[in-house]
Amino acid sequence: MLNRFIPLLIAFCTVGAVPACAEVATISVDCSQPGPRVNPHMYGIFFEELNHSGEGGLYAELIRNRSFEDGNLPEGMQLIDGFAMTAPNRKKIAWPPTKDEIPGWTPIKHTGADFDIALDTEKPLNQAQKHSLKISIRRGTAGIANTGFWGIALKARETYNLSLYARSGAGFKGRMLAALEDEKGKPLSKPAPITGIGPEWKKLTGKLVADTTYNNARLALYVDSPGSVWLDVVSLFPRHTYGERPNGLRADLVEMLKDLRPGFMRFPGGCITEGLTLEQGYHWKDTIGDIAQRPGVWNSMWGYRRTDGLGFHELLQLCEDTSAAPMFCLNVGVACTIHSPGISAPMSDMKKYVDDAVDAISYANDPPTQNWGKLRAKNGHPKPFVIKYVNIGNELRGEAYSERYPLFYARIKARYPDVLTIAYAGIGSNTKTPIEILDIHDYRDDAWFLSRMNQWDSYDRTKRISCTELAVRNHTNHTLHNALLEAAYLIGMERNADVVRAVSYAPLFLNTNHPSPWEPDLIHFNNHQVFGTPSYYVQKLFMTNRPDVVLKTEVQAAPQTVYALAGKDEKNNEIVVKAVNLAGTEQPVTIDLKGITRLGAKAVATVLTSGDEMDRNSFAEPTKVSPVTRTISVAGPSFTYTLQKHSMTVIRVALK
Ligand code: AHR
């Protein structure tokens, strides 16, 4: 009887820890009755390229449209009446998506200069890069600028590594200079000469050191003599990325993820796994190796093109950096059923898709001397990353999915029996192929969550589920209120840890400059700041207080606004009690740890709350709603504690 009880009102008048005349609730924990063991990977994160989470975000590249491919018509779509359209189901997006002739790039016109810039397809850099930028100079100095993703954020004295490919036309004898500038052209670095331009494509590099901290800078490139110059893959990274890696990630955003201590990381989607067309689906082999060889693809669903600079290898690396078990979502040759129904690769093409799936696992898991493991080693990571879970498709349903699911299941389990497969709930109940874990996605409102707090208590104990996309979604997104509802729901999931094997909030990131965001999101950032939402702190409390085993817990409270669960952290020999009080009044509770005779010296309470349940965090007040930890005194195995109004509390009691 967990949270389902006959209301029991206990009038209790005391002073001190318990306010006078409060109705005391009881949280009874049977410490002699260990319940289900909790998956060490239970709480994870889900990274998808949407909301400019990677491009202009986690991926530290500072140049927008570095390869001049952003203006390409989305892969597999046709231009019809001002729309890019999918042929079979006529899903459309307005085209072109911006008025900018060459997105991200503008000419810098100085007096006396006569030049123009244009996209060019002649003599491309390679097969992956269809366009380059041609600068045709007739007189004076030509300049071009890139303002990155809503301005380039510079840090004083940081070095910025510039690389680009260039070639020149016959007779060109000029020089190229690079500089960091403010939006009006005031220099913010010493100019760097970019030398070595010749008739053949060549990679050239330069270093720029910022004089000052400035959040709206641009990269300027100047060419000072008549003639033609072509550019491609113009890239600028700060020297200090996470782990000081080239082609690296923004350290502040990685640290936010590491702080969570995620058990798994699901990637790359979400809907981008599938795309609006088969061509737009995630083809991981196009996302590895030299960035100049990665074609990138239109992310039509979420309104911008991705370079795939943050590719399969870098995402596996991020899993390793955050100690999260990789959960790779496979493209099964069916376009996104929600956004673009009815498109699937013919069954005769499925071998290629299944091969790609198995090869992806091979790349991550095989020894450095075998199969695709060799390429991983060549790409700088001999040690296997070890994919632990694969989603066979994301949010798919219908016959196309149920026909293809068995092909993936059979090949993967035959070759990698330790990799756990996850089917999406849309598979239905008729499949004859085993389902190891069934994935559900819950973006719902208050009423839905409130009515389902106990739904897993009565679930078939032979089944396993995951919920890799979860968020309370309503008109009060990003508030403490929403976060506490999620916390109460997660308590019900943890209580049923035998059934519920993996949970992650979604989406993970919001670049607050992005004009058409998908909300709510766990972590908000702009080009130089970041904060976690109240939901971020709820997730962190669950990830950092995951017990090894659940203990049978009964809650008696009236009205039913308290949700609680205890478990045991075996390594630290501690009882971990999580309690959520949804009420607008504080709630005294008696916490009764039955079966415990001797406590250790220390008990600690961590509380997430705020003055108002509608409070949110912001760049101005990034930790307004964030947990506070303090030591508490505990009289014995049965003790009283007052849960604050609108709060989540974690109490860790050391045992002897
Ligand atoms: O998380 C945003 C989107 O929501 C995901 O791409 C998709 O799986 C779901 O519909």
Side-chain angles (χ1 to χ4, degrees):
M1 290 285 287
L2 303 158
N3 283 325
R4 286 168 298 161
F5 52 89
I6 301 160
L8 177 70
L9 300 180
I10 309 168
F12 193 91
C13 295
T14 185
V15 287
V18 178
C21 298
E23 292 167 4
V24 179
T26 309
I27 300 172
S28 308
V29 182
D30 190 343
C31 299
S32 61
Q33 274 208 50
R37 294 200 70 78
V38 182
N39 180 3
H41 306 133
M42 175 150 177
Y43 298 110
I45 52 178
F46 163 46
F47 177 82
E48 178 171 19
E49 182 60 77
L50 89 166
N51 290 341
H52 276 278
S53 54
E55 302 284 337
L58 185 61
Y59 184 47
E61 172 64 84
L62 295 168
I63 302 301
R64 187 193 278 260
N65 192 16
R66 69 180 175 197
S67 297
F68 307 102
E69 306 294 338
D70 280 15
N72 299 0
L73 199 61
E75 288 76 0
M77 294 171 98
Q78 295 161 12
L79 186 59
I80 300 173
D81 299 334
F83 290 96
M85 218 176 266
T86 57
N89 57 16
R90 297 180 75 80
K91 289 284 156 193
K92 56 186 187 179
I93 54 173
W95 197 263
T98 77
K99 291 201 179 72
D100 304 340
E101 220 165 295
I102 305 173
W105 295 93
T106 45
I108 304 171
K109 298 271 183 194
H110 285 301
T111 327
D114 180 16
F115 71 98
D116 52 57
I117 60 173
L119 294 177
D120 197 39
T121 53
E122 194 191 301
K123 204 174 159 187
L125 174 63
N126 56 42
Q127 290 299 306
Q129 311 302 339
K130 296 189 176 64
H131 298 95
S132 60
L133 184 79
K134 182 177 181 186
I135 310 175
S136 310
I137 308 131
R138 289 172 289 278
R139 193 179 61 240
T141 295
I144 54 167
N146 188 295
T147 49
F149 299 89
W150 301 283
I152 294 175
L154 299 179
K155 282 200 189 106
R157 292 178 296 284
E158 170 68 310
T159 300
Y160 292 86
N161 293 323
L162 174 68
S163 66
L164 54 84
Y165 290 79
R167 70 178 178 90
S168 55
F172 176 79
K173 293 209 176 52
R175 292 176 313 158
M176 183 187 281
L177 283 181
L180 299 169
E181 298 179 344
D182 76 5
E183 62 275 42
K184 293 195 179 116
K186 184 180 144 213
L188 299 174
S189 72
K190 288 201 184 65
I194 307 296
T195 55
I197 305 178
E200 298 305 323
W201 282 112
K202 199 165 162 197
K203 185 175 182 181
L204 309 173
T205 59
K207 286 190 189 307
L208 295 160
V209 179
D211 298 333
T212 184
T213 294
Y214 194 75
N215 295 324
N216 196 19
R218 69 186 192 186
L219 170 74
L221 296 172
Y222 294 102
V223 186
D224 69 355
S225 304
S228 300
V229 170
W230 287 260
L231 300 177
D232 210 342
V233 195
V234 181
S235 170
L236 184 74
F237 275 86
R239 186 162 72 92
H240 293 290
T241 56
Y242 180 81
E244 312 285 315
R245 293 192 190 106
N247 196 45
L249 309 186
R250 232 176 92 170
D252 58 340
L253 300 187
V254 176
E255 292 298 344
M256 287 294 284
L257 301 181
K258 275 183 81 171
D259 283 354
L260 286 170
R261 304 222 304 262
F264 68 89
M265 185 178 104
R266 178 175 183 249
F267 66 95
C271 293
I272 73 149
T273 310
E274 283 114 12
L276 290 186
T277 65
L278 295 175
E279 293 83 347
Q280 290 168 24
Y282 196 78
H283 299 284
W284 72 271
K285 289 173 184 167
D286 289 342
T287 76
I288 56 171
D290 179 2
I291 59 164
Q293 298 289 346
R294 303 185 195 184
V297 69
W298 251 91
N299 191 2
S300 305
M301 217 129 31
W302 308 130
Y304 57 97
R305 193 177 167 86
R306 48 172 227 264
T307 60
D308 281 328
L310 175 50
F312 183 59
H313 186 100
E314 289 79 16
L315 288 165
L316 287 167
Q317 181 65 66
L318 178 61
C319 293
E320 185 177 274
D321 291 339
T322 55
S323 305
M327 181 186 283
F328 182 52
C329 189
L330 300 171
N331 171 1
V332 299
V334 182
C336 177
T337 339
I338 296 176
H339 295 93
S340 189
I343 299 180
S344 51
M347 289 303 278
S348 54
D349 283 0
M350 288 317 293
K351 182 173 175 315
K352 179 193 163 315
Y353 283 89
V354 180
D355 284 351
D356 276 359
V358 172
D359 293 347
I361 304 174
S362 169
Y363 183 92
N365 293 20
D366 279 352
T369 49
Q370 280 178 27
N371 310 315
W372 286 80
K374 288 185 203 160
L375 185 57
R376 180 195 67 241
K378 193 170 154 234
N379 288 342
H381 202 286
K383 195 176 150 219
F385 288 114
V386 192
I387 286 178
K388 178 79 189 150
Y389 303 89
V390 288
N391 296 87
I392 302 181
N394 169 70
E395 291 194 355
L396 296 178
R397 58 195 78 236
E399 207 184 311
Y401 182 39
S402 41
E403 258 187 313
R404 285 158 184 76
Y405 171 79
L407 309 178
F408 288 83
Y409 178 87
R411 280 275 301 282
I412 291 167
K413 290 312 279 187
R415 173 118 169 240
Y416 296 101
D418 293 341
V419 173
L420 288 168
T421 57
I422 303 178
Y424 184 67
I427 194 80
S429 49
N430 291 333
T431 180
K432 302 243 168 359
T433 307
I435 292 177
E436 293 187 280
I437 301 176
L438 191 73
D439 199 28
I440 52 165
H441 293 174
D442 288 331
Y443 298 107
R444 311 284 189 152
D445 64 8
D446 304 30
W448 187 93
F449 275 96
L450 280 167
S451 67
R452 283 173 173 79
M453 292 295 176
N454 304 317
Q455 69 166 323
W456 304 109
D457 296 351
S458 50
Y459 200 71
D460 181 342
R461 300 335 273 183
T462 64
K463 302 226 158 108
R464 301 286 172 265
I465 72 117
S466 61
C467 182
T468 58
E469 297 190 29
L470 175 141
V472 173
R473 205 174 185 211
N474 55 19
H475 60 286
T476 58
N477 286 338
H478 305 131
T479 57
L480 173 65
H481 169 85
N482 286 25
L484 293 178
L485 278 176
E486 288 152 8
Y489 188 71
L490 288 178
I491 281 179
M493 291 188 133
E494 189 170 291
R495 185 169 62 240
N496 292 286
D498 52 334
V499 168
V500 183
R501 303 305 286 164
V503 193
S504 47
Y505 184 98
L508 183 59
F509 282 124
L510 171 66
N511 184 328
T512 56
N513 287 310
H514 183 43
S516 51
W518 203 113
E519 293 178 305
D521 309 282
L522 203 63
I523 299 170
H524 295 198
F525 66 85
N526 58 23
N527 66 0
H528 64 291
Q529 291 166 300
V530 58
F531 68 86
T533 59
S535 296
Y536 172 87
Y537 290 106
V538 161
Q539 292 294 320
K540 184 171 173 179
L541 287 176
F542 276 86
M543 290 188 208
T544 53
N545 293 286
R546 180 190 49 73
D548 298 299
V549 62
V550 171
L551 297 172
K552 190 170 178 229
T553 308
E554 286 186 16
V555 180
Q556 293 186 321
Q560 190 182 337
T561 48
V562 174
Y563 297 83
L565 180 69
K568 185 164 181 195
D569 175 338
E570 292 171 335
K571 187 164 151 251
N572 294 306
N573 199 25
E574 288 175 348
I575 301 291
V576 184
V577 181
K578 298 192 185 79
V580 174
N581 179 19
L582 294 182
T585 50
E586 58 183 30
Q587 176 64 60
V589 288
T590 297
I591 299 176
D592 197 5
L593 304 179
K594 293 185 198 312
I596 299 288
T597 45
R598 295 174 71 203
L599 297 183
K602 208 171 147 201
V604 169
T606 303
V607 181
L608 176 71
T609 189
S610 191
D612 191 300
E613 65 167 332
M614 291 303 149
D615 281 350
R616 296 179 167 93
N617 292 331
S618 61
F619 292 122
E621 292 182 288
T623 52
K624 180 176 183 169
V625 189
S626 60
V628 174
T629 300
R630 68 184 172 94
T631 304
I632 56 169
S633 62
V634 169
S638 182
F639 60 95
T640 52
Y641 184 85
T642 299
L643 301 175
Q644 293 186 42
K645 67 175 183 155
H646 302 308
S647 67
M648 171 175 176
T649 304
V650 180
I651 299 177
R652 298 186 72 105
V653 183
L655 301 179
K656 260 200 182 137

